[in-house]
Amino acid sequence: SVEPSWRWEYNDHIEASRPTPPYHSPQPPSDNLFKNNIITTSTTTTTTTNTNTNTNINSFNNDIINNDNDIERSVLDPNEKFITFFTHSGFQNQLIQVENGILLAWYLNRTLILPRALLGEAFGWSYFGKLHLEHMLHDPIRDESMPGNGDSCEFYAEERSFWGLQCPDRSRYAVIPFDEIFDLSWAKQHVRIVLRERSDFEWLDEKYNIKRHYQNGNTIQDQANGSYVDGDILFFKGDTRYDWRIFDTPRKTHRLGKYANGLDIYQLRKREEKLIHFSSLFGTGKLPIRRPEHYTFLHTLQRSIIYRHPVVLNVADQIIHSLGGTGNFIGLHVRSSDGWFVKALPENIYNIVLQINKEVEARSLSENMIINNNLIPGGGSPIEQEEEEKIEKQLLLQQKLDLQQCLDLAKQKKVTLIYMATDARSPRHSSAFDPIWSQYPCTFTMDDLLIPSSPIWKELDGVMDQSTGQSMRKFLLPLVDATIASRGWFFIGSKGSTFSGYIYRLHDVFWSNARLEQRIQS
């Protein structure tokens, strides 16, 4: 579930293999569970439902909440309701969780309090308490009133000891608002999105008057897992990565699959608590869709979320230009550095080469086919010319070609130019990649094209982490890698990789827009 990169110097955390830690508080009693899986620890609960809250919730023409998130509301809206969650796992899995959060906020007509993106060394799924602590330890804001000169690691020393957590190494990760990386402008037209500036509950109280540990004058004891109400907050604390599956239609029974419990959005719309707080919104199957208008919203949302970081796009454009421009090469993504992908690398490379062969052959036939007479310009029969091309190709494979030679040969249709995005460290020195180099010598990676002394390297180095003052270059390089690969005339990814899936999306969106622009101009 984690998408690493050697440029992040990633150390894998496999939460599922670790023993389940104890928790300060006992498990919520199962005999108190309601039919909708929500328990309330107060003696009385307000159940009045605002029937006007979700008017036109499924229409794209519903009244759009003010999304100017840079301007603070002078007076808090007492009727505003929120939803939030904790992100975890690799960067691409975080994006899937964000998409789920935006969709759910739209369903429920609630403001989404969005955590920051975590680039670099990630942490995996765990229980609510541990995820909460991970987020607080990774928060960029330092409160100088804390002991240890605002050092959150010292401040949360007891909690770290309980969960067995070390202080995160700030040189190995960076946190940044999602909308500095991705274009969320379309999402903000339909959902109010605000940044979770701090992960502690005190910030929720200070910022939005969202309180906990108090209900009807009674102090509420924190609970480890389950769903329960604590003050203004309805918690969903899962005891498994696949906790609640949330459906968009009400039914007596739902197909849960690998999920432990089920909810539907109509149950959640009735909730009057000011904040619904999930421990996680992990998984592409967490919000299955049955209604076509909901699918349209999600599909449009996903296609709208593309990279927008100006340095990432500018550096990618310059490297694409050095490759001869968009559409002058095939893009690849080969994931190789962790878990299943290490074992699957030989098979993955083999399948990628087969796909390249297939696409190159299809393109060659399309370009060279002569409808009327089965002859190829330049003289000779197709068989003779095919033999000549084979001999010429064999001669080229025996040479070590640089980029300029490859660009010249590609113009003559004698070689196929390829850009390979990968998390492999020094792929040219790895025998696993030999099938690509041997058949397609004009294959280049970031290592071949990005020189440390170049201006674009310095441009990446100039992007600083405001929290640490360190360069964010190594965290942005994978995004540059993906952008370049998506601009090829064809893209081939790694089976099972969420990052490959996202590059497929970037490729589709870019070329769909290019074709649309071409039609408009013509």
Side-chain angles (χ1 to χ4, degrees):
S1 63
V2 177
E3 192 82 40
S5 168
W6 66 263
R7 298 181 177 88
W8 298 344
E9 300 178 358
Y10 179 80
N11 286 330
D12 194 16
H13 301 287
I14 306 176
E15 289 290 337
S17 65
R18 298 184 61 177
T20 302
Y23 199 84
H24 290 293
S25 302
Q27 297 282 338
S30 58
D31 57 342
N32 286 342
L33 288 173
F34 292 156
K35 291 182 180 179
N36 61 355
N37 298 320
I38 299 171
I39 68 169
T40 306
T41 53
S42 62
T43 54
T44 59
T45 305
T46 302
T47 57
T48 305
T49 302
N50 183 355
T51 57
N52 296 324
T53 301
N54 299 297
T55 304
N56 296 325
I57 190 69
N58 297 317
S59 170
F60 282 98
N61 297 320
N62 61 327
D63 293 333
I64 295 174
I65 302 172
N66 176 18
N67 288 289
D68 189 356
N69 297 317
D70 296 326
I71 302 176
E72 295 291 342
R73 294 184 174 184
S74 57
V75 179
L76 287 177
D77 180 358
N79 297 316
E80 185 174 13
K81 291 182 170 55
F82 304 85
I83 187 169
T84 194
F85 61 97
F86 292 134
T87 52
H88 57 83
S89 302
F91 182 58
Q92 210 54 48
N93 281 290
Q94 293 174 49
L95 177 59
I96 293 170
Q97 296 164 57
V98 170
E99 292 169 350
N100 285 342
I102 294 172
L103 177 62
L104 191 54
W106 179 68
Y107 281 157
L108 306 181
N109 201 19
R110 285 176 175 260
T111 295
L112 176 61
I113 303 176
L114 189 60
R116 285 180 170 86
L118 175 62
L119 300 172
E121 188 172 70
F123 51 85
W125 174 88
S126 190
Y127 295 114
F128 186 99
K130 188 175 182 181
L131 283 177
H132 189 196
L133 179 58
E134 290 276 23
H135 274 262
M136 290 190 290
L137 292 173
H138 286 79
D139 275 348
I141 296 176
R142 290 290 187 269
D143 187 347
E144 294 180 358
S145 65
M146 288 180 176
N149 297 320
D151 185 349
S152 60
C153 272
E154 182 177 336
F155 186 75
Y156 296 115
E158 184 179 348
E159 290 83 353
R160 287 194 301 103
S161 176
F162 172 76
W163 287 109
L165 289 177
Q166 300 295 321
C167 289
D169 184 347
R170 290 193 170 266
S171 68
R172 300 170 71 88
Y173 73 90
V175 287
I176 183 174
F178 274 98
D179 62 356
E180 289 189 20
I181 304 172
F182 297 104
D183 184 355
L184 298 183
S185 58
W186 187 89
K188 290 180 181 180
Q189 294 175 27
H190 302 276
V191 174
R192 174 165 148 79
I193 301 175
V194 297
L195 174 66
R196 187 162 185 169
E197 298 170 13
R198 297 202 322 258
S199 301
D200 56 89
F201 287 114
E202 288 75 16
W203 178 83
L204 293 173
D205 187 1
E206 296 167 8
K207 189 77 172 181
Y208 297 111
N209 198 30
I210 298 172
K211 301 182 182 297
R212 63 192 291 266
H213 287 314
Y214 183 84
Q215 199 167 85
N216 298 321
N218 299 317
T219 299
I220 304 301
Q221 187 179 26
D222 197 10
Q223 296 190 10
N225 298 312
S227 43
Y228 64 97
V229 175
D230 182 351
D232 294 327
I233 307 175
L234 168 59
F235 285 105
F236 285 93
K237 299 182 177 181
D239 57 4
T240 171
R241 187 192 306 265
Y242 301 99
D243 43 25
W244 285 271
R245 201 174 198 192
I246 305 171
F247 298 86
D248 67 338
T249 54
R251 292 189 178 183
K252 292 183 178 179
T253 59
H254 289 289
R255 185 175 297 176
L256 296 179
K258 56 189 173 184
Y259 287 83
N261 296 289
L263 288 168
D264 66 59
I265 61 175
Y266 297 91
Q267 291 173 303
L268 295 175
R269 286 176 184 174
K270 294 177 182 179
R271 302 304 304 190
E272 285 297 301
E273 290 79 18
K274 197 165 186 176
L275 172 66
I276 299 178
H277 200 317
F278 287 89
S279 55
S280 167
L281 290 178
F282 176 83
T284 54
K286 189 172 184 70
L287 279 78
I289 293 177
R290 292 193 176 102
R291 297 185 61 169
E293 64 270 28
H294 295 169
Y295 174 79
T296 299
F297 180 90
L298 178 61
H299 180 70
T300 308
L301 171 68
Q302 290 176 329
R303 291 178 63 83
S304 72
I305 300 180
I306 58 177
Y307 294 140
R308 68 176 291 264
H309 195 286
V311 175
V312 168
L313 298 179
N314 185 50
V315 170
D317 284 342
Q318 292 184 62
I319 295 177
I320 291 167
H321 179 74
S322 72
L323 289 165
T326 57
N328 196 49
F329 55 91
I330 289 178
L332 306 180
H333 172 242
V334 181
R335 182 174 172 183
S336 66
S337 293
D338 74 308
W340 177 85
F341 293 97
V342 175
K343 297 178 181 179
L345 182 58
E347 181 183 356
N348 193 14
I349 293 288
Y350 175 78
N351 290 329
I352 286 174
V353 171
L354 286 182
Q355 290 184 69
I356 297 173
N357 294 343
K358 180 180 177 181
E359 294 304 321
V360 169
E361 182 179 358
R363 196 181 207 208
S364 178
L365 288 173
S366 175
E367 290 175 347
N368 295 329
M369 184 176 294
I370 296 178
I371 300 175
N372 294 329
N373 54 25
N374 198 33
L375 290 177
I376 299 179
S381 68
I383 296 177
E384 291 173 345
Q385 185 157 343
E386 184 177 347
E387 289 299 321
E388 292 175 1
E389 289 175 353
K390 285 182 179 179
I391 294 172
E392 187 173 17
K393 184 177 181 181
Q394 289 300 320
L395 292 173
L396 289 172
L397 291 176
Q398 297 173 14
Q399 303 177 36
K400 187 175 181 180
L401 304 172
D402 61 26
L403 178 58
Q404 189 55 55
Q405 289 173 315
C406 286
L407 288 170
D408 294 338
L409 291 168
K411 287 181 181 178
Q412 302 171 45
K413 309 294 184 184
K414 292 182 178 180
V415 297
T416 298
L417 195 62
I418 295 175
Y419 180 82
M420 180 171 64
T422 181
D423 59 354
R425 186 188 292 270
S426 302
R428 287 199 178 274
H429 298 97
S430 171
S431 59
F433 290 84
D434 285 349
I436 294 180
W437 309 126
S438 62
Q439 293 194 49
Y440 295 96
C442 287
T443 300
F444 296 91
T445 68
M446 180 78 74
D447 293 340
D448 302 316
L449 303 176
L450 188 59
I451 303 171
S453 60
S454 66
I456 56 176
W457 179 279
K458 294 178 181 178
E459 185 176 357
L460 282 168
D461 249 352
V463 182
M464 309 304 292
D465 184 338
Q466 295 181 0
S467 178
T468 64
Q470 297 178 347
S471 170
M472 290 186 59
R473 169 179 42 81
K474 63 182 178 181
F475 306 122
L476 298 180
L477 279 173
L479 314 187
V480 176
D481 229 8
T483 303
I484 299 168
S486 71
R487 303 294 174 85
W489 62 265
F490 193 77
F491 173 74
I492 303 169
S494 297
K495 181 181 179 181
S497 168
T498 53
F499 199 29
S500 284
Y502 183 70
I503 302 173
Y504 275 116
R505 185 198 301 182
L506 292 178
H507 179 270
D508 183 44
V509 170
F510 176 80
W511 288 107
S512 295
N513 291 339
R515 288 191 292 270
L516 178 61
E517 186 176 347
Q518 188 177 32
R519 286 198 298 269
I520 292 173
Q521 291 177 352
S522 61

